[in-house]
Amino acid sequence: MGTLIEDLLLLSRISRSEMRYDKVNLSELVQEVSGDIQAAQPERIVDLSVVLEVFVYDDRNLMRVVLENLLQNAWKFTSRHPTAQISFGIAQNLDQTLAQTTYFMHDDGAGFIAT
């Protein structure tokens, strides 16, 4: 509960600051955040696969918060695996009527199936 409150306060502070759009290398940011998490849990063995050179035009601080949340969830829900598998990448929609890029964080942990 304490962590949740701290995260909400952090998000509140970040969201009150002015958005500063810039070119952000998500691949490097994922590796940076992953390194921070790995340093806090050095006993964990996690095979992290990151597609290189994934760029967006966004606020770096907000993207870091998003990636921290996604990676921490992946770390948490793969904790029962001897070697966890986590991957970050992009998928291009090839449909000509809807050109969009999907960014994903995938793990082999406990998940759910939406029906």
Side-chain angles (χ1 to χ4, degrees):
M1 183 60 107
T3 302
L4 177 60
I5 291 170
E6 287 175 23
D7 289 346
L8 287 171
L9 289 171
L10 173 63
L11 183 58
S12 173
R13 283 192 297 276
I14 290 173
S15 62
R16 278 186 277 158
S17 64
E18 183 177 333
M19 296 279 288
R20 293 175 38 195
Y21 290 94
D22 202 2
K23 186 176 180 181
V24 179
N25 186 332
L26 289 182
S27 303
E28 287 180 1
L29 201 51
V30 166
Q31 292 171 331
E32 181 182 311
V33 170
S34 174
D36 294 346
I37 297 170
Q38 184 69 60
Q41 297 179 5
E43 71 283 356
R44 288 287 312 274
I45 300 172
V46 176
D47 180 18
L48 178 67
S49 172
V50 178
V51 172
L52 300 177
E53 304 299 316
V54 176
F55 290 93
V56 295
Y57 189 73
D58 211 326
D59 184 281
R60 178 176 166 68
N61 292 330
L62 285 177
M63 291 310 302
R64 182 176 177 84
V65 169
V66 168
L67 293 173
E68 283 174 346
N69 183 278
L70 291 172
L71 275 167
Q72 287 171 351
N73 282 339
W75 226 266
K76 177 178 169 182
F77 291 108
T78 59
S79 64
R80 296 178 190 234
H81 294 250
T83 303
Q85 304 286 323
I86 300 173
S87 59
F88 168 77
I90 59 174
Q92 298 288 338
N93 183 347
L94 300 178
D95 181 356
Q96 298 298 324
T97 61
L98 181 63
Q100 76 181 60
T101 302
T102 301
Y103 303 88
F104 65 84
M105 188 75 64
H106 180 266
D107 65 72
D108 65 345
F112 61 91
I113 299 174
T115 56

